[in-house]
Structure formats: C-alpha cells, structure tokens
Amino acid sequence: LEFLFIFTCELLQLNIVDGKMQYLFDESGRRYLDAFAGIAVVNCGHCHPDVVEPVINQIKRLQHPTVMYLNHAIAEFSEALASKLPGDLKVVFFTNSGTEANELALMMAKLYTGCQDIVSIRNGYHGNAAGTMGATAQSLWKFNVVQTGTHHALNPDPYRGVFGSDGEKYARDVQDLIQYGTTGHIAGFICEAIQGVGGIVELAPGYLSAAYDIVKKAGGLFIADEVQSGFARTGNFWGFEAHNVVPDIVTMAKGIGNGFPLGAVVTTPEIAGVLTRRCYFNTFGGNAVSTTAGLAVLNVIEKEKLQENASMVGSYLKGKLNQLKEKHEIIGDVRGRGLMLGVELVSDRKLKTPATAETLHIMDQMKELGVLVGKGGYFGNVFRITPPLCFTKEDADYLVEAMDYSISKM
C-alpha cells in the first residue's frame, strides 16, 4: 500500500501551465495529449476561443448580480439548457458543482414524495456531502459520518456483476430493497447512465427501464445523474437517452461549463414547486460569468458537431481498444460509449484479478510518451478515457499506440 501511495504521488508530479483544445503543456513547454479532460469536464477543449471570449466580455461588464436580479446571461442559458431536455423538464436551478446539484435533487425528491428513503446503485458516485455521500456506494469515498436512508442495489455490471448482462434480474433487487427495506414507498432512485468514478461501467441492457417502472410504482422519482455523462460525451446529449426513459429530475455539472464552476438541477414545474415552501437560495449558483460559459458550451457543441464527433471518434477508438484487448491478456474489458470509455486491466482474465499496480505503471509510462489518461474503479485498475470532444481519429491512434507500447514494456 505504501508503494502504491508513493507511485500515485509520483504520477501527480506534473505541473500543467497551459492548455489548447485536446492538448496540455507543462512548465517546460512539453505537450501532452489529454485523454481525461480534467475528469470529463473540458468537453469543448482547453481554452476554446468561443468559450473564453464571451466569458472575458462578461467579466468586463458584470461578474455577479445574484439571481435576485434579472440578467440576460442567466435567462438565456436557462432557456437554452431546458430546450435540450425532454417532456416537462423546464425548471432550472443552478449550483456550483455536481455534489450540490445531487444534494438539491435528493432533497426535492424527499419533499415532493413525503418519503425519506433513497435507492442508489452499488459502485456509484454522487458526491461528497452528507446526502450524496450516503448515495455514493464505494467505501473509498465515504467518511465515518452518519449516512442514513439510502439503500444500495446490486450493481448491474455486465463484466463483474452476478447476473452478467441480464438487466431485468438486477432490477428485481430494486424491488426487493423497496419491499423488504422500506415502507413500500420511496422518495427516489438516483443513477448514473455510465458509472464514471466506478470505472466507466455501463448498465446491463434493459436494467434502467425495468428499474424505472419499479421505482414509479413505489411512488419514487427517478433522478438521472448526468454529471459525467452529459453534454454530448456519450454520443447522445444525455446518457439516459440510450435507455428509453424520461427522468423526473436531471442533475449536471462538469462538462456544463468547460471548466467553470457550474452545476444545475432541471425538473418539472410541479416538482420544483416544493422549494416555494421555504426560502431556497444559492449565492454563486447561476452567476453571470459561469452561465455565460454554459451558453457558450452549448453553442460550441452545436456549431462544431461535437456530439456527432464523440459518437464517431468514440466508436473508432473503442474498436481499436478491442483490437488491443485481443493482443494483450492484461486487458480484461473494454467498455463505454462515445468518448466515455474504460479499459479494465486484470492479471488473470478468468479470475478477473485487478491489475492495480500494473495500471499505475502503464499509466506512468503513457505519461512519459505524452498521453494523459485517468484511472478509476474500486480497485483502481480501470483507465478512464474521457478526452475533450474535439478528439480526432489521429489522437485515438496515438493513444492506442502509447497504450500498446506501455503494456508491451511491462
């Protein structure tokens, strides 16, 4: 453990001082291909001029009027954001982060239903405040504080899960949790379309639609956590769109602002009405500078067809990674959609033994070759590949070559 801690610290000894689109530069001027995007944040690319310029112009005019006053930046972004969502999801509340967004969503679900029980999925990550830490289901991210009222369902993981790719069997566990662990009624169900921190785990086919029906019958609200999968990263604008469900509440952050502190909760007017029972306020949520960045992000995604690029380049890269899997026994699984991809490394394919130390070594070797990737999963043995959405096929080829070479040098 001490060795791994030291190794991780060495990996972090990289002083990044500049960024341009899908590239980062250290203090010596060396260029790196960024395949992590600040943890799935910089969707448009680092320092994209069409994001930077309107933000600078806004800073020169007005930084922080608060949402107590009208401001065109806040209003225009709210309207544009709501237009990206289906059904009656038309009311927007701004926050500063994904944790704040999920905290607010959980509170709204409890207020609206009058119930206190929340169901989330094992291996999921939803934040590090009181309520979201309860919904998070990995001991690595849970401090020893009171966390009550959350029930963690079986993770519908096609690679490591007990039922393989049978989504409906996993969904039955949600029914069991509600039937035997609650009054039979719940406040809500919170779920990532693809688990990010958990290691880019896709939900088993059929799971989300089956779980959705069970949750609705129990009177609960479906909360879609789109903090990492949203804003075109998966090839859909929202991750939940691949599962044929319409959430009651959608939370978002990270890619929403391309690096500016911004999060949001979008819900229906009926559900939003619960916040009129008291005074709800977020000082910096929805400030003029961040919402200007948010609107610029939407414009860049549309103008540069980044959603289509994420789908095309992501499919190409996933195919190349699967070819690499055929070559190297250490690659146990390749998964994900669009430009939200995971490569799980194992020392034994049959036993699926996590290759944690090897992952760190390969990651460091790739850094020496000028390629930066993230890692995740409970065992720290999954490469998280979430580059800016301007990533090209040539970038994908170089990433695969660097990974191939680094594995071969093991």
Side-chain angles (χ1 to χ4, degrees):
L1 287 174
E2 183 179 357
F3 166 77
L4 293 180
F5 176 75
I6 294 171
F7 212 127
T8 302
C9 290
E10 289 175 351
L11 283 170
L12 296 176
Q13 290 176 359
L14 190 63
N15 186 19
I16 296 297
V17 297
D18 288 297
K20 184 176 182 181
M21 303 307 285
Q22 65 267 50
Y23 302 107
L24 291 170
F25 300 83
D26 67 15
E27 58 191 343
S28 70
R30 184 182 179 187
R31 190 181 81 170
Y32 296 86
L33 179 63
D34 181 13
F36 200 30
I39 317 179
V41 168
V42 192
N43 284 15
C44 296
H46 295 280
C47 300
H48 193 297
D50 289 348
V51 176
V52 171
E53 186 176 350
V55 166
I56 290 174
N57 291 337
Q58 181 61 51
I59 289 175
K60 289 178 178 178
R61 294 190 65 186
L62 181 67
Q63 286 181 259
H64 183 67
T66 91
V67 292
M68 293 174 65
Y69 305 115
L70 297 176
N71 180 270
H72 69 90
I74 301 169
E76 288 175 9
F77 180 48
S78 299
E79 186 174 21
L81 185 58
S83 73
K84 292 290 185 181
L85 287 148
D88 206 22
L89 293 165
K90 299 301 178 187
V91 181
V92 181
F93 295 95
F94 288 116
T95 66
N96 303 289
S97 69
T99 291
E100 281 190 2
N102 283 332
E103 284 281 336
L104 178 57
L106 293 171
M107 182 179 75
M108 291 172 74
K110 292 175 182 180
L111 289 171
Y112 181 77
T113 61
C115 297
Q116 298 299 309
D117 290 291
I118 296 291
V119 176
S120 67
I121 298 175
R122 296 178 193 176
N123 196 54
Y125 180 87
H126 301 287
N128 56 12
T132 51
M133 194 182 297
T136 293
Q138 282 196 39
S139 61
L140 298 170
W141 304 97
K142 294 167 80 71
F143 287 92
N144 187 26
V145 296
V146 175
Q147 300 166 44
T148 61
T150 303
H151 308 266
H152 301 110
L154 286 174
N155 185 19
D157 181 349
Y159 181 62
R160 290 187 174 273
V162 293
F163 299 125
S165 295
D166 193 332
E168 292 190 4
K169 283 187 178 179
Y170 291 107
R172 291 173 198 160
D173 186 56
V174 176
Q175 178 64 58
D176 287 346
L177 283 177
I178 294 171
Q179 187 170 336
Y180 297 106
T182 76
T183 63
H185 300 280
I186 62 171
F189 172 79
I190 186 168
C191 176
E192 303 164 271
I194 298 178
Q195 293 176 341
V197 173
I200 316 296
V201 178
E202 292 186 83
L203 307 179
Y207 173 78
L208 201 55
S209 57
Y212 177 90
D213 290 340
I214 292 166
V215 169
K216 301 308 288 184
K217 288 177 182 176
L221 300 183
F222 170 40
I223 304 168
D225 181 339
E226 292 284 340
V227 170
Q228 293 198 37
S229 58
F231 293 88
R233 175 156 296 283
T234 66
N236 295 107
F237 200 88
W238 306 109
F240 67 77
E241 291 176 312
H243 298 275
N244 298 314
V245 294
V246 176
D248 298 293
I249 304 175
V250 181
T251 62
M252 58 200 75
K254 292 190 182 289
I256 190 175
N258 209 56
F260 284 85
L262 180 61
V265 176
V266 185
T267 189
T268 67
E270 183 179 357
I271 295 170
V274 300
L275 293 188
T276 64
R277 300 174 188 174
R278 295 290 189 276
C279 292
Y280 170 76
F281 185 68
N282 188 312
T283 300
F284 297 109
N287 74 81
V289 175
S290 290
T291 52
T292 294
L295 182 59
V297 166
L298 292 183
N299 291 336
V300 169
I301 289 173
E302 183 174 353
K303 177 183 176 182
E304 300 187 2
K305 300 186 184 303
L306 295 185
Q307 182 176 330
E308 293 84 346
N309 191 67
S311 178
M312 178 185 66
V313 176
S315 295
Y316 175 81
L317 176 54
K318 189 175 182 180
K320 289 287 186 178
L321 291 170
N322 271 312
Q323 290 177 16
L324 209 59
K325 177 185 172 185
E326 297 303 312
K327 180 178 179 181
H328 296 292
E329 193 74 15
I330 195 171
I331 298 179
D333 193 32
V334 173
R335 53 187 181 247
R337 296 196 309 273
L339 286 173
M340 188 171 183
L341 300 175
V343 177
E344 180 157 353
L345 303 187
V346 293
S347 57
D348 185 310
R349 277 195 181 181
K350 185 176 181 180
L351 298 176
K352 301 179 181 177
T353 308
T356 304
E358 295 91 335
T359 301
L360 286 167
H361 181 83
I362 295 166
M363 189 176 175
D364 192 50
Q365 181 64 46
M366 290 179 68
K367 182 195 74 173
E368 294 304 313
L369 295 172
V371 178
L372 303 178
V373 295
K375 71 177 181 68
Y378 183 81
F379 303 104
N381 66 318
V382 181
F383 288 132
R384 293 166 66 186
I385 302 172
T386 58
L389 305 188
C390 53
F391 216 63
T392 67
K393 287 185 177 180
E394 290 73 24
D395 296 327
D397 286 336
Y398 186 67
L399 183 152
V400 172
E401 289 170 9
M403 188 177 294
D404 184 16
Y405 178 82
S406 299
I407 292 174
S408 299
K409 296 293 287 184
M410 283 288 295

